[in-house]
Amino acid sequence: MSPASVKKRISESTIHRLSLYYRTLSLLEKENYETVSSKELAKREKLTPAQVRKDLSFFGSFGTRGLGYNVNELKKKIETILGINREWRVALIGVGNIGSALVSYKEFAKQGFDIVKLFDNDQRKIGSNHKGIIVSDIKNLEKEIQEANISMVILAVPATVAQYIVDDVVKAGVTAILNFAPINLRVPPYVHLRNENMAMELEYLSFAMVNNHSPKKTK
Amino acid sequence: MSPASVKKRISESTIHRLSLYYRTLSLLEKENYETVSSKELAKREKLTPAQVRKDLSFFGSFGTRGLGYNVNELKKKIETILGINREWRVALIGVGNIGSALVSYKEFAKQGFDIVKLFDNDQRKIGSNHKGIIVSDIKNLEKEIQEANISMVILAVPATVAQYIVDDVVKAGVTAILNFAPINLRVPPYVHLRNENMAMELEYLSFAMVNNHSPKKTK
DNA sequence: TACTTCTTGTGAACCATTTCACATGGCTTC
DNA sequence: GAAGCCATGTGAAATGGTTCACAAGAAGTA
């Protein structure tokens, strides 16, 4: 009834929940479930069944009345919606603490995010090997990003240099950036920027404890 | 007009924005700003001035009409609201890729989150030193957490074992958990649980690119 | 085929959050 | 001390997101 072609503004929360559904569907698949109801899916995510159905309904009708959703089929649908049914060539910039942890982060690879390039400005790191990838000199950023056909960048550099690197990365034609530096970056309107701020969630916990905020959802 | 004592349900987004304001105020302080208006604050966070004022108004009136907010004073107010004006004794469980990156993550320490204990189950890691902290055997989890007076736990272990550890941690009396494992954990209702899912933001970027979703806010 | 059971898909109702708009009050200048 | 300016704090309006409730479709049973 509401085909994917119909442009409707989808909320950020809906997309985030699709990620959750995807993860749970992968699990259900491993547990050899054939089908799953919105009720069961909701239970696992601590959401309401109506929420699950509404989220999915923005993109089409994937279920069977009386039966539920076919696990494998729904998983594939969500992969398509999220755009993770393909390979994304990703460059990771900054091979420090966070950066080197991310190189080996399995969830990225599982979902089609292939880190194929590493960059740093530290001479001691340049040339070194992380999980089979040689760290490149950030001096060659623009050229190498274009040659390697990179479309996404993960930024794990100090806040002080993040903006300069973003400017270069944008010049190189990258249009999606995941930023781990605790700073507000400026990008042109056509570039997608997301910030990952790990302190934020600890701060939320702190607030919740101090205020006896009854925990409800976990994002 | 609306003192902090009045219990009102504060939205998750408001708390997250307070974190953003806090970070920006720290920066403004370094740049020697005396005062800041909601307009300026909003500009830096890509929000509206009304949003900033409304967020703050839930907790009191901290500004001066015609002038704006005193940077240092507002920063302190937010510290108090978020509960980061004190020290939190934190244990980090799982000294793998992510775990060891987090030990050195400066933002945590800056905001009063003191990682004072490390745990792992890997004999090769137990006894080793990370940033001055000796890794403990997870076998002694409950006892050591209580002795060290830990109130928060950061969980950076594989998904397969996360639930068992959470159960132990809860038994030890911990009531705040930040989970990096890609799994839905069960905790009693009085325990605060937050999940950090780094793949989620990449998935959002992927979705945005595939759907030409015009970027608006970055969380 | 008729009946029961189950669960989807979705307008409509409800609730939460954001934005608007303006009265209020502090500060500065004359 | 009056006037002008500026930016807060906040009800009210507008927007956006979630939940309700039910019609309708599929599968199984007799």
Side-chain angles (χ1 to χ4, degrees):
Chain A
M1 270 298 107
S2 88
S5 64
V6 173
K7 276 273 144 38
K8 219 186 157 303
R9 188 156 188 93
I10 307 294
S11 81
E12 183 170 316
S13 337
T14 292
I15 302 307
H16 281 325
R17 282 191 300 267
L18 288 186
S19 294
L20 296 179
Y21 304 153
Y22 174 77
R23 219 178 53 188
T24 294
L25 288 164
S26 305
L27 209 65
L28 288 167
E29 211 178 31
K30 271 196 207 129
E31 295 173 17
N32 289 315
Y33 279 72
E34 273 274 316
T35 57
V36 64
S37 65
S38 60
K39 197 176 159 195
E40 171 68 15
L41 218 37
K43 201 183 116 205
R44 297 202 175 214
E45 307 295 349
K46 290 184 202 123
L47 302 168
T48 65
Q51 177 87 82
V52 173
R53 296 201 299 277
K54 178 67 87 179
D55 281 339
L56 296 175
S57 80
F58 292 132
F59 302 98
S61 11
F62 309 130
T64 309
R65 284 160 199 236
L67 238 182
Y69 303 89
N70 177 288
V71 170
N72 183 260
E73 199 182 290
L74 183 58
K75 180 167 165 256
K76 283 195 178 136
K77 290 283 186 194
I78 294 183
E79 274 176 4
T80 306
I81 295 165
L82 290 178
I84 56 176
N85 58 339
R86 69 208 271 326
E87 253 189 50
W88 290 98
R89 295 175 65 78
V90 179
L92 194 156
I93 306 180
V95 194
N97 288 313
I98 305 274
S100 32
L102 295 176
V103 185
S104 337
Y105 190 56
K106 300 218 179 60
E107 296 299 305
F108 289 167
K110 258 191 219 167
Q111 299 173 23
F113 300 106
D114 256 26
I115 298 178
V116 295
K117 275 269 167 197
L118 300 177
F119 292 94
D120 208 297
N121 70 346
D122 184 337
Q123 290 303 325
R124 285 163 303 178
K125 286 173 189 160
I126 294 167
S128 71
N129 186 316
H130 283 248
K131 293 270 157 179
I133 310 165
I134 306 293
V135 178
S136 298
D137 191 331
I138 201 161
K139 286 219 176 80
N140 311 320
L141 190 66
E142 206 174 326
K143 186 159 163 277
E144 292 200 25
I145 278 189
Q146 284 168 345
E147 281 173 4
N149 202 18
I150 302 286
S151 50
M152 281 190 184
V153 158
I154 300 176
L155 208 63
V157 301
T160 42
V161 297
Q163 184 64 57
Y164 304 116
I165 297 175
V166 162
D167 292 345
D168 284 354
V169 149
V170 167
K171 238 184 276 166
V174 168
T175 56
I177 299 170
L178 179 58
N179 170 43
F180 282 81
I183 188 174
N184 295 318
L185 296 170
R186 271 170 290 105
V187 293
Y190 60 85
V191 173
H192 302 278
L193 169 67
R194 304 288 299 176
N195 296 301
E196 187 79 60
N197 182 342
M198 294 181 296
M200 215 177 227
E201 291 298 332
L202 266 191
E203 285 165 10
Y204 191 95
L205 281 176
S206 163
F207 170 80
M209 291 193 63
V210 168
N211 295 274
N212 269 311
H213 219 245
S214 62
K216 258 180 50 180
K217 305 175 192 173
T218 61
K219 200 172 175 185
Chain B
M1 271 302 106
S2 90
S5 63
V6 173
K7 276 273 143 37
K8 218 187 160 302
R9 188 156 187 92
I10 306 294
S11 80
E12 183 171 314
S13 338
T14 293
I15 303 307
H16 281 325
R17 282 192 299 268
L18 288 185
S19 293
L20 296 178
Y21 303 153
Y22 174 77
R23 217 177 54 188
T24 295
L25 287 165
S26 304
L27 208 65
L28 288 166
E29 210 177 31
K30 271 198 206 125
E31 294 173 16
N32 289 316
Y33 278 72
E34 273 275 315
T35 58
V36 65
S37 65
S38 59
K39 196 175 158 194
E40 171 69 14
L41 218 37
K43 200 182 117 206
R44 296 201 175 215
E45 307 294 350
K46 291 182 202 125
L47 302 168
T48 64
Q51 176 88 84
V52 173
R53 295 201 299 276
K54 180 65 88 178
D55 281 339
L56 296 175
S57 80
F58 292 131
F59 302 97
S61 9
F62 310 130
T64 309
R65 285 157 200 237
L67 236 183
Y69 303 90
N70 178 287
V71 170
N72 184 261
E73 200 181 291
L74 182 59
K75 180 167 165 255
K76 284 194 178 135
K77 290 282 187 195
I78 294 183
E79 274 176 4
T80 306
I81 295 166
L82 290 178
I84 56 176
N85 59 339
R86 70 210 269 325
E87 252 189 52
W88 290 97
R89 295 176 65 79
V90 179
L92 193 156
I93 307 181
V95 193
N97 288 314
I98 304 276
S100 33
L102 295 176
V103 185
S104 336
Y105 190 56
K106 301 217 179 59
E107 296 298 306
F108 288 166
K110 258 191 217 165
Q111 299 173 24
F113 301 105
D114 257 24
I115 299 178
V116 295
K117 274 268 166 197
L118 300 177
F119 292 95
D120 207 297
N121 69 347
D122 184 338
Q123 290 303 325
R124 285 164 302 180
K125 285 173 189 160
I126 295 167
S128 72
N129 186 316
H130 284 248
K131 292 270 158 182
I133 310 165
I134 306 293
V135 178
S136 297
D137 191 330
I138 200 161
K139 286 218 175 82
N140 311 320
L141 191 66
E142 206 174 327
K143 185 159 164 277
E144 292 200 26
I145 278 188
Q146 284 168 345
E147 282 174 4
N149 202 18
I150 301 286
S151 49
M152 282 189 184
V153 158
I154 300 176
L155 207 63
V157 302
T160 43
V161 297
Q163 184 64 58
Y164 304 116
I165 296 175
V166 162
D167 293 344
D168 284 354
V169 149
V170 167
K171 239 184 277 170
V174 168
T175 56
I177 299 171
L178 179 58
N179 170 44
F180 281 82
I183 189 173
N184 295 318
L185 296 170
R186 271 170 291 106
V187 293
Y190 60 86
V191 173
H192 302 277
L193 169 68
R194 304 289 300 177
N195 295 301
E196 187 80 59
N197 182 341
M198 294 180 297
M200 214 177 228
E201 291 298 332
L202 266 191
E203 286 165 9
Y204 191 96
L205 281 176
S206 164
F207 170 79
M209 289 190 70
V210 168
N211 294 273
N212 270 312
H213 219 243
S214 63
K216 257 181 49 181
K217 306 176 189 172
T218 61
K219 201 169 173 186

